[in-house]
Amino acid sequence: DGLLNGFGAAGSSLVHTTAREFGPAQRAMVRHDPAVAMRLLREGGYRGGSVTITTNGQFAPMQDTAVLIQAMLQAIGMNVRVETLEFGAQLQRYFRGDYQLMIWNVTPYLDPVFTFDRFIGLPDGPADKVWRSTAANTLLSRLFNEARLDARQPIFDELESLFRAEAPLAVW
């Protein structure tokens, strides 16, 4: 709540918390579990190399989030530093894919399909499409081609399940 200043509710989904598509699949929060994170680091072969979180100083919530994430990652044994750029420089680096971890603010759209579209691309696609997944891209295409909410919800739910399994980005 400290990051949101009372102006919203945290969620773990790319479907924003006030959207009609925000159902039980999207409502479940991703648990903070340092023990599991440490195990995954060991299994993934992390050996203490430096990781840089890129943010900017123009938007305080993004800077605050970077510092919070840095502390959480340091608590599980990662070597993490925060790099603060001017927003325009951060934006250029984002579109080039020139970063390790980046704090990025996402404004919700009336239709959450556009939020997913902002991040989903094919494996050989543009650098700013950080979720490069053929399966996610197929589900996204299905959403764009379906207008009926009752038919779209199961697709959103399937995309949510894939999002949580692949973890291409973290949402709070």
Side-chain angles (χ1 to χ4, degrees):
D1 188 51
L3 290 173
L4 297 172
N5 294 318
F7 290 104
S12 300
S13 174
L14 283 173
V15 177
H16 58 91
T17 58
T18 59
R20 64 182 174 192
E21 296 86 350
F22 191 79
Q26 292 75 23
R27 197 168 286 114
M29 293 292 285
V30 174
R31 278 189 48 228
H32 174 68
D33 192 332
V36 169
M38 288 170 34
R39 179 180 53 80
L40 290 171
L41 282 176
R42 281 191 308 276
E43 289 173 4
Y46 178 72
R47 293 187 179 13
S50 180
V51 175
T52 301
I53 300 173
T54 303
T55 190
N56 71 78
Q58 278 76 9
F59 300 102
M62 293 171 74
Q63 178 72 32
D64 293 349
T65 300
V67 172
L68 174 65
I69 298 297
Q70 177 188 33
M72 291 171 74
L73 294 175
Q74 287 174 336
I76 62 168
M78 291 185 70
N79 177 10
V80 182
R81 72 179 195 88
V82 173
E83 172 186 42
T84 303
L85 303 176
E86 182 272 327
F87 181 72
Q90 181 189 16
L91 186 64
Q92 289 178 345
R93 297 256 305 262
Y94 172 75
F95 281 107
R96 286 195 317 258
D98 182 17
Y99 59 90
Q100 289 180 298
L101 293 174
M102 184 173 284
I103 303 302
W104 200 249
N105 194 14
V106 178
T107 302
Y109 293 93
L110 290 176
D111 186 336
V113 72
F114 296 109
T115 306
F116 281 100
D117 184 52
R118 182 70 208 90
F119 297 105
I120 295 174
L122 293 172
D124 59 348
D128 65 313
K129 301 289 188 173
V130 297
W131 188 7
R132 297 178 183 182
S133 164
T134 302
N137 201 63
T138 299
L139 290 168
L140 181 65
S141 293
R142 286 178 51 203
L143 280 171
F144 271 118
N145 290 305
E146 180 57 66
R148 296 168 298 139
L149 179 59
D150 63 328
R152 291 178 91 207
Q153 190 64 52
I155 304 169
F156 272 114
D157 293 349
E158 190 175 349
L159 194 54
E160 184 72 30
S161 177
L162 186 63
F163 176 74
R164 289 168 186 250
E166 294 184 3
L169 59 143
V171 177
W172 58 269

